[in-house]
Amino acid sequence: MSAEVVWVWVGAFLTLCILSFLYRDNPFYRFGEHLFVGVSNGYFVAFMFHRVIRPVMLEPFWGAVQTAGESGLSWELFNPIAPQNFLLIIPGLVGCLYFTRFIPGTQWMVRIPIGIFMGYYTGLSVPAYFEGTVFPQMRGTLVTQSDFSAAAGSSSIDGIWALVVLLGVLGTLSYFFFSREHKGIWKVGAKTGIVFVMVGFGASFGFTVMARVSLAIGRFLFLLRDWLGVIS
Amino acid sequence: MKSKLPLALLILMGIFGITSRFIPHPGAEALNAYLRDTLLRIISAFALILGLGNLILRHWSKIKKKEENYGSSYVLLISLTVTAIIGLFGGTSGEGILPTRIGEFSFDVNTLYDKVMIPLGATMFSLLAFYMASAAYRSFRAKNTLAFLLLASAFIVMLGQVPLGQALWSELPSVSHWIMTVPNTAAKRGIDLGITLGVTATLLKILAGIERSWLGGGS
């Protein structure tokens, strides 16, 4: 029996374990579910060690220890940007503060790595959100002459759809704007917006169902073709 | 001290984060590269270990107390330990000190990812197709115009992606495409803009020290 055949049988057994949940919760499903969590976490431990801890912290730190052993201590070994330096131990120590959560009386120290991590990415995210979402989405919503121009590769119908998108975006925004009562022009905007929102939710639902159906087809194809060989 | 030091560090790091985009000086760029690629990467790796610790403790206590279905916790802990050992000592593709091949049969972590995690994950997500279809059958009722719009757009998008839809009406895929690119884009764009502005406001509140729920309870 070749290795591929063994893995096909393993895959088929695990697929059937998970599909058995369609009948009801049972030990086979729980086995598959817990195996998934266990293997995923084990995989990410290995991934983090081989991609982060070892190349970014342990190897450069060990390199600094070896260099210090061969040619003595130098200021270069304390330069945080140098490829091999002793200061790499600092992020390691800061990371270890996460474990103070388990030591009574020192639990507050877990806030230090959280604060450092959250602070940097919070700061980084503010301009990134504007550059990555707000500005491009606003740019995409703007209706310009080129939307109607044949020279720019568009037709008059494209321009009309661009106007519909603009109307829909304004309507959706006014529907979710709760700082003012939906009266007068706001009411018209909100009424238009909810139409777009319902069509959008329906489309998203349909698209998500089809994506999941596609996954289900993939699994049944695996069972019928790769495992049972019923179809070619 | 217990709250002010973490808050001060958050604000300081937040300033580094925001200014990183606006200071094109090589020194500032080197500092930010160090923060992003070294310091924060190492800290995030330790956060994973903390999460793992919580998971292990939770299932260990379930086994000790012999809670309902505690047998599954054995499966989780054993599979986690075995995969972690194979990954740590066997390398990602079998290049480590632990042998991960018996004859033709290879069981390194990349193989486990392909042959165990992918089938389990794909089947688990595919289960949702059955539950979504069943929930839709029970709850989708065209009680009013808006509910009809939701129902109709869902059906058109679903039918527009399969050969049956094209067989029923050759223009159905084009209508489905139009729904996805015009009304759906408009609604998604409005919602995205609202969410992004809301998230940005919350981020600024965190950076200004107004929003402090991340500090948790206690002093």
Side-chain angles (χ1 to χ4, degrees), chain A residues 93-141:
Chain A
L93 292 174
V94 174
C96 285
L97 290 178
Y98 273 120
F99 305 115
T100 56
R101 197 177 174 279
F102 300 112
I103 306 166
T106 62
Q107 282 105 334
W108 69 272
M109 291 171 92
V110 77
R111 295 167 179 166
I112 291 173
I114 294 175
I116 291 174
F117 192 81
M118 233 173 91
Y120 187 79
Y121 281 106
T122 300
L124 199 68
S125 302
V126 174
Y129 272 130
F130 276 94
E131 278 178 23
T133 307
V134 177
F135 296 148
Q137 296 287 10
M138 284 169 74
R139 204 180 302 129
T141 311

Side-chain angles (χ1 to χ4, degrees), chain A residues 56 60-61 64 73-91, chain B residues 27 30-31 34 38:
Chain A
V56 181
F61 183 76
L73 284 174
S74 68
W75 284 113
E76 186 58 18
L77 294 175
F78 293 92
N79 175 4
I81 301 171
Q84 295 179 344
N85 69 80
F86 284 116
L87 296 186
L88 282 166
I89 202 71
I90 293 173
Chain B
L31 175 69
Y34 167 75
T38 306

Side-chain angles (χ1 to χ4, degrees), chain A residues 3-232:
Chain A
E4 196 53 40
V5 174
V6 173
W7 281 121
V8 166
W9 275 81
V10 170
F13 172 70
L14 297 176
T15 303
L16 291 173
C17 280
I18 299 295
L19 285 178
S20 69
F21 189 72
L22 289 172
Y23 170 59
R24 68 175 186 196
D25 192 15
N26 64 75
F28 286 105
Y29 173 74
R30 283 196 296 276
F31 171 79
E33 184 191 31
H34 283 74
L35 186 73
F36 181 57
V37 178
V39 173
S40 310
N41 280 289
Y43 176 80
F44 284 113
V45 168
F47 184 85
M48 275 292 180
F49 180 78
H50 290 295
R51 294 286 166 89
V52 182
I53 305 265
R54 188 165 58 89
V56 181
M57 193 177 89
L58 295 181
E59 280 177 356
F61 183 76
W62 182 240
V65 172
Q66 282 179 322
T67 309
E70 285 163 13
S71 36
L73 284 174
S74 68
W75 284 113
E76 186 58 18
L77 294 175
F78 293 92
N79 175 4
I81 301 171
Q84 295 179 344
N85 69 80
F86 284 116
L87 296 186
L88 282 166
I89 202 71
I90 293 173
L93 292 174
V94 174
C96 285
L97 290 178
Y98 273 120
F99 305 115
T100 56
R101 197 177 174 279
F102 300 112
I103 306 166
T106 62
Q107 282 105 334
W108 69 272
M109 291 171 92
V110 77
R111 295 167 179 166
I112 291 173
I114 294 175
I116 291 174
F117 192 81
M118 233 173 91
Y120 187 79
Y121 281 106
T122 300
L124 199 68
S125 302
V126 174
Y129 272 130
F130 276 94
E131 278 178 23
T133 307
V134 177
F135 296 148
Q137 296 287 10
M138 284 169 74
R139 204 180 302 129
T141 311
L142 289 177
V143 180
T144 59
Q145 239 179 352
S146 66
D147 289 318
F148 296 87
S149 153
S154 302
S155 63
S156 53
I157 194 77
D158 292 327
I160 292 167
W161 297 145
L163 278 170
V164 173
V165 169
L166 174 67
L167 193 74
V169 172
L170 293 175
T172 307
L173 284 172
S174 55
Y175 178 73
F176 287 109
F177 187 69
F178 299 116
S179 298
R180 287 188 71 163
E181 198 179 343
H182 289 171
K183 272 181 174 176
I185 188 74
W186 286 109
K187 190 177 176 182
V188 177
K191 286 253 180 194
T192 314
I194 188 68
V195 170
F196 280 89
V197 167
M198 292 310 263
V199 173
F201 282 165
S204 298
F205 175 83
F207 200 73
T208 311
V209 168
M210 292 315 284
R212 305 299 189 201
V213 167
S214 165
L215 275 176
I217 291 170
R219 295 323 298 157
F220 283 110
L221 206 60
F222 168 75
L223 288 176
L224 297 174
R225 186 187 58 197
D226 299 357
W227 183 44
L228 296 174
V230 176
I231 54 172
S232 56

Side-chain angles (χ1 to χ4, degrees), chain B residues 115-126:
Chain B
K115 309 293 185 190
V116 177
M117 271 171 73
I118 288 183
L120 283 169
T123 316
M124 211 166 273
F125 285 112
S126 75

Side-chain angles (χ1 to χ4, degrees), chain B residues 32-211:
Chain B
N32 273 297
Y34 167 75
L35 289 175
R36 205 173 41 240
D37 302 335
T38 306
L39 188 108
L40 295 170
R41 270 181 84 189
I42 294 171
I43 292 177
S44 69
F46 280 90
L48 177 93
I49 300 170
L50 176 74
L52 207 64
N54 274 329
L55 183 79
I56 292 169
L57 286 178
R58 167 77 193 95
H59 283 273
W60 186 249
S61 111
K62 202 172 161 184
I63 290 170
K64 267 176 73 180
K65 290 176 187 164
K66 292 194 185 321
E67 286 179 24
E68 198 185 359
N69 300 324
Y70 72 94
S72 308
S73 296
Y74 277 117
V75 175
L76 188 146
L77 292 179
I78 292 169
S79 59
L80 192 155
T81 312
V82 169
T83 314
I85 288 172
I86 290 173
L88 290 174
F89 300 107
T92 48
S93 305
E95 72 278 9
I97 50 168
L98 184 79
T100 53
R101 179 178 277 273
I102 302 171
E104 261 187 44
F105 187 73
S106 162
F107 53 92
D108 54 73
V109 276
N110 278 343
T111 309
L112 291 179
Y113 181 87
D114 289 336
K115 309 293 185 190
V116 177
M117 271 171 73
I118 288 183
L120 283 169
T123 316
M124 211 166 273
F125 285 112
S126 75
L127 272 187
L128 215 63
F130 296 98
Y131 287 100
M132 283 174 93
S134 139
Y137 177 74
R138 279 179 278 129
S139 60
F140 269 19
R141 296 281 182 271
K143 287 175 193 161
N144 52 43
T145 318
L146 291 174
F148 172 76
L149 281 174
L150 186 118
L151 192 65
S153 62
F155 265 102
I156 292 169
V157 168
M158 283 193 275
L159 277 176
Q161 292 184 44
V162 290
L164 177 68
Q166 196 164 14
L168 290 173
W169 182 36
S170 60
E171 288 301 312
L172 204 67
S174 311
V175 178
S176 164
H177 180 72
W178 178 83
I179 289 176
M180 290 305 290
T181 51
V182 180
N184 181 52
T185 301
K188 278 282 176 61
R189 204 168 264 174
I191 292 169
D192 274 359
L193 281 170
I195 290 173
T196 310
L197 292 173
V199 168
T200 312
T202 308
L203 294 179
L204 289 172
K205 275 168 76 179
I206 292 171
L207 282 179
I210 299 165
E211 168 62 55

